[in-house]
Amino acid sequence: MSQFLEQFMILRHYFSAQYLANKFPNREALEAWQDKKVKAHLRKVLQQSDFYKHYYQGCQLSDWQSFPIIDKNLMMAHFDTLNTVKITREEAFKMALTAEETRNFKPMVGHITVGLSSGTSGHRGLFLVSREERLKWAGHALRALPGSIFKGHRIAFFLRANSNLYTSVGSRRIQFQFFDLFKPVDEHIIRLNEYQPTVLVAPPSMLGFIGQAMNAGQLTLKLEKIISVAEVLEPFDRLWLENTYGQNIHQVYQCTEGFLGSTCQYGTLHLNEDLLVVQKEYLNKSQRKFTPIITDFSRLAQPIIRYQLNDVLTERQESCPCGSIFTALEFVDGRCDDLFYLPSTQSSKIIPIFPDAIRKAILQVPVSIHDYQILQLNLNTFSVGLAGKVSLDEEQSFRASLTAVCEQHQCIPPVIQFRPYQQPEVGAKKRRLQRLFAIEAAV
Ligand SMILES: [Zn+2]
């Protein structure tokens, strides 16, 4: 396909995405449209994917909403027969790893893009995206640009690994430069000063470094839009970043499993329900917390059907002033694997403690803590590193506010071991809250 034709296809997807976003008068109309889309998609998937054909044997298409779920382990275990483009897991891994090592990011088999998610080794996910899907993705991603796509944009995109998925959005008017997160920050500052991007896309930790350089007068940028990706944007950081940059921090919520959501002009994160169905499995309904089960009716190369994500999301209570009928989120809490659990004071049960409760405990300490990392070592012990000069009184104050959180949740407060705070390494994913033991092993 010529580059001109690719650009044309991207534009077509861009306009069709604009049209779809305003097409549905209410949720019922959206859900009826999604239902049709999923059924049509499933017919193709069941013909082309041996895994799904076998997995859904005996199931009725009309019951797709209650089909057995899949998760990352199942998807990776059956990678070879699940995908419809006949690429083996071994082949895809080899190709993606070579691309990462050589930092030459053009891994493709025929017209299929191969990518690898970041994550701890052994838990890395592979993704396969066909040309048609890549162009569709680009069309949807362009919606995140401020103003018209026909005026010039210069995008600076900070990632752990580039992909031709991302470079697809580049054109004569839209420049795209990849910034390698593993390179030193000083190098980025020099390049940013020269490039003068209008749109900055980076994980919040990198937005923090760039913000510090701007505050120190080492960098001057005129940014029209800032988009946070790849890590959870915590309220703690969001506030600091919005003050530093003097504008809203937008978000794109994306992972190996799909393009899940993006913020509207009001900065509210909406799910991309024109690309996928999101079913909610509530962890706590009164707190509006759920894990999503997604069915992506736009991806056939690697079909994602009733796939349970490992994320915890909080639904927004009020509707968004933008009027979108797509589900609005309060925030992405983090990964299910990182939920903390403490023993109940009322029964032999263990109680999940959501990250926002722990974050609140930190915010209640009267002196400003620059940063922190909290590890749950076992059901009874937290290891806490607080950045900056933290006195014994402040440590005591954190202990007291955490105890108050535990009382609210009716659970036994953990023993807290304080340790020196360690700055994460350059390029590493920032995770402030981490549980270091498997919950099945603890109960
Ligand atoms: Zn909105």
Side-chain angles (χ1 to χ4, degrees):
M1 200 185 278
S2 72
Q3 207 191 351
F4 174 75
L5 196 53
E6 285 208 353
Q7 297 292 339
F8 173 77
M9 296 291 286
I10 291 173
L11 275 183
R12 215 184 60 148
H13 287 301
Y14 169 79
F15 286 112
S16 108
Q18 300 278 69
Y19 165 74
L20 269 182
N22 302 310
K23 175 186 164 175
F24 307 104
N26 51 41
R27 288 289 306 180
E28 290 71 34
L30 169 69
E31 283 165 19
W33 175 83
Q34 284 181 326
D35 186 63
K36 258 194 212 158
K37 281 275 181 194
V38 172
K39 283 176 183 157
H41 182 65
L42 271 173
R43 277 187 203 105
K44 283 190 223 157
V45 171
L46 291 176
Q47 262 174 16
Q48 297 180 38
S49 161
D50 286 342
F51 167 76
Y52 283 112
K53 204 187 297 173
H54 189 252
Y55 198 49
Y56 296 150
Q57 212 163 31
C59 298
Q60 293 300 318
L61 214 56
S62 53
D63 297 333
W64 70 265
Q65 300 213 9
S66 49
F67 276 11
I69 55 170
I70 65 162
D71 60 11
K72 191 175 219 161
N73 288 338
L74 205 61
M75 181 162 83
M76 291 309 288
H78 298 275
F79 188 85
D80 299 1
T81 54
L82 184 142
N83 78 71
T84 63
V85 286
K86 306 216 171 349
I87 295 177
T88 67
R89 177 172 141 157
E90 201 186 340
E91 215 179 336
F93 252 123
K94 215 193 246 168
M95 189 163 282
L97 282 174
T98 312
E100 258 186 26
E101 275 156 23
T102 57
R103 315 303 281 162
N104 173 20
F105 300 103
K106 287 200 172 133
M108 285 185 90
V109 184
H111 62 85
I112 304 292
T113 301
V114 180
L116 198 54
S117 70
S118 56
T120 49
S121 54
H123 289 94
R124 306 190 64 177
L126 275 170
F127 65 85
L128 301 175
V129 179
S130 71
R131 179 167 46 211
E132 174 60 22
E133 290 161 7
R134 176 168 57 83
L135 302 179
K136 189 167 192 172
W137 178 90
H140 278 258
L142 284 178
R143 283 191 299 176
L145 288 178
S148 162
I149 52 163
F150 296 110
K151 68 174 202 151
H153 294 283
R154 285 186 301 279
I155 308 170
F157 205 159
F158 284 77
L159 287 164
R160 273 167 199 85
N162 197 6
S163 164
N164 58 356
L165 184 65
Y166 306 123
T167 45
S168 306
V169 297
S171 67
R172 211 153 40 89
R173 288 194 187 84
I174 302 170
Q175 290 182 50
F176 177 97
Q177 278 199 23
F178 165 64
F179 287 73
D180 191 335
L181 275 177
F182 289 102
K183 295 244 167 99
V185 177
D186 293 348
E187 213 174 287
H188 295 320
I189 304 298
I190 296 168
R191 258 184 83 195
L192 285 171
N193 260 325
E194 282 168 12
Y195 180 45
Q196 285 297 315
T198 53
V199 180
L200 179 60
V201 187
S205 50
M206 181 51 72
L207 292 177
F209 289 129
I210 298 169
Q212 282 167 11
M214 287 168 73
N215 282 345
Q218 298 163 340
L219 178 63
T220 316
L221 297 177
K222 279 200 191 104
L223 293 165
E224 288 177 36
K225 192 161 182 176
I226 301 161
I227 304 174
S228 158
V229 288
E231 290 167 6
V232 171
L233 178 63
E234 296 184 21
F236 188 82
D237 293 319
R238 186 176 185 158
L239 204 66
W240 187 88
L241 291 171
E242 291 190 335
N243 281 333
T244 301
Y245 287 96
Q247 58 185 288
N248 262 348
I249 304 294
H250 286 268
Q251 291 176 73
V252 164
Y253 175 30
Q254 183 178 301
C255 51
T256 329
E257 294 83 6
F259 184 18
L260 275 83
S262 44
T263 43
C264 65
Q265 71 267 38
Y266 293 93
T268 306
L269 192 57
H270 290 273
L271 293 173
N272 289 336
E273 288 172 295
D274 50 349
L275 293 173
L276 36 91
V277 173
V278 181
Q279 294 175 283
K280 297 169 194 151
E281 186 166 285
Y282 281 99
L283 298 168
N284 185 320
K285 200 147 190 188
S286 64
Q287 290 182 42
R288 307 180 310 282
K289 297 200 183 287
F290 68 96
T291 56
I293 297 173
I294 57 172
T295 299
D296 190 327
F297 46 81
S298 60
R299 281 177 69 182
L300 188 61
Q302 183 183 18
I304 306 279
I305 313 289
R306 295 261 300 149
Y307 181 104
Q308 177 138 39
L309 276 181
N310 183 26
D311 284 350
V312 181
L313 312 180
T314 302
E315 228 175 322
R316 194 181 140 107
Q317 201 159 22
E318 321 82 56
S319 55
C320 180
C322 77
S324 169
I325 54 158
F326 294 163
T327 302
L329 299 179
E330 195 74 52
F331 42 71
V332 176
D333 290 67
R335 298 156 28 130
C336 301
D337 289 350
D338 287 339
L339 281 190
F340 287 5
Y341 284 89
L342 291 169
S344 164
T345 51
Q346 310 297 309
S347 68
S348 58
K349 281 191 182 157
I350 52 166
I351 311 274
I353 310 289
F354 293 101
D356 46 341
I358 309 274
R359 287 177 196 134
K360 251 182 227 153
I362 283 279
L363 289 176
Q364 272 159 15
V365 178
V367 81
S368 72
I369 291 172
H370 305 306
D371 215 333
Y372 61 90
Q373 197 194 24
I374 305 178
L375 309 174
Q376 184 174 14
L377 307 180
N378 54 47
L379 275 181
N380 312 306
T381 321
F382 284 9
S383 169
V384 178
L386 302 176
K389 281 185 186 149
V390 182
S391 69
L392 282 177
D393 277 355
E394 283 139 19
E395 286 187 356
Q396 202 46 43
S397 159
F398 170 69
R399 205 185 291 270
S401 56
L402 189 66
T403 304
V405 167
C406 293
E407 275 166 15
Q408 271 169 21
H409 286 77
Q410 300 190 313
C411 56
I412 303 170
V415 172
I416 298 177
Q417 300 171 347
F418 286 99
R419 63 181 158 77
Y421 172 80
Q422 272 183 331
Q423 187 78 17
E425 282 170 33
V426 174
K429 219 169 200 179
K430 190 165 186 172
R431 283 159 74 191
R432 289 200 173 99
L433 305 177
Q434 248 178 297
R435 170 160 51 82
L436 299 185
F437 63 103
I439 204 64
E440 295 80 16
V443 284

